Amino acid sequence: MHCVKLLGQCPMARDFDREVAELHIRIAVLNGYTALGISVTEAVR
């Protein structure tokens, strides 16, 4: 939850549907950063 707050304390949109869309965008950004940090391992013979 701390990482979500780094992108903004609360949703800026006033309409509920727009708030949901805004949170989906924040989650997509966080998932992108997480994907960059995960290492890929390959088996070596």
Side-chain angles (χ1 to χ4, degrees):
M1 191 67 184
H2 175 69
C3 294
V4 174
K5 288 186 177 183
L6 290 177
L7 294 174
Q9 290 295 324
C10 62
M12 299 299 292
R14 294 184 181 181
D15 185 26
F16 179 73
D17 292 332
R18 292 177 189 225
E19 284 183 9
V20 171
E22 185 177 341
L23 291 175
H24 279 268
I25 292 169
R26 289 182 188 188
I27 291 168
V29 169
L30 285 175
N31 286 340
Y33 285 131
T34 301
L36 289 174
I38 294 175
S39 61
V40 178
T41 58
E42 296 181 6
V44 178
R45 289 187 171 205

